[in-house]
Amino acid sequence: MSDPNCIFCKVIAHEIPAHFLWEEDETVAFMDINPWTRGHALVIPRNHSTDLLEISEQDLAATAAGAQRLARMQKERLGCDGVNLLNSCGAAGWQTVFHFHIHSIPRYEGDPLQLPTRPQQVDQDELAKIAAELRG
Ligand code: AMP
Ligand code: ZN
């Protein structure tokens, strides 16, 4: 349920400081220490799970609901114009803290955040092939 070497388990246990938005039975939310925009916050399950592939459906559902709650708080109280939810899974997917979390990143008209990639063009045959591979 808790990993002694995990930074976010230490946040939950108040062993390292954080600016909490809530601390409840299933989830905890707090400010990201290196925000991408004003109000960037994280929601995590109390139970330690490494990532999206490992988390239980119940903890995932609670954390997803928490992300919606964060987004509503950011809209109502900070007046953001939009929100990006982000989950990174695996080092190749940019995950740096290995306790499942969802970023809720408020967006403001004209803010400097940019997509780090450009969508690629791919032909229909290739898409069909990949879809078949995914369906298994
Ligand atoms: P990710 O790279 O998706 O795994 O996100 C990890 C996030 O956790 C980053 O945005 C960090 O800025 C943030 N972070 C790391 N340590 C802390 C901490 N002690 N308190 C709050 N946020 C943290
Ligand atoms: Zn943890």
Side-chain angles (χ1 to χ4, degrees), residues 7-8 11 16-17 30-34 36 40 42 88 94-97 101 103:
I7 295 179
F8 286 174
V11 168
I16 55 177
F30 52 96
M31 303 309 292
D32 193 293
I33 205 167
N34 290 131
W36 292 10
H40 179 169
L42 304 172
S88 297
W94 300 336
Q95 187 174 7
T96 60
V97 175
H101 52 281
H103 299 252

Side-chain angles (χ1 to χ4, degrees), residues 129-136:
K129 210 176 120 201
I130 299 166
E133 205 174 316
L134 280 169
R135 286 191 299 265

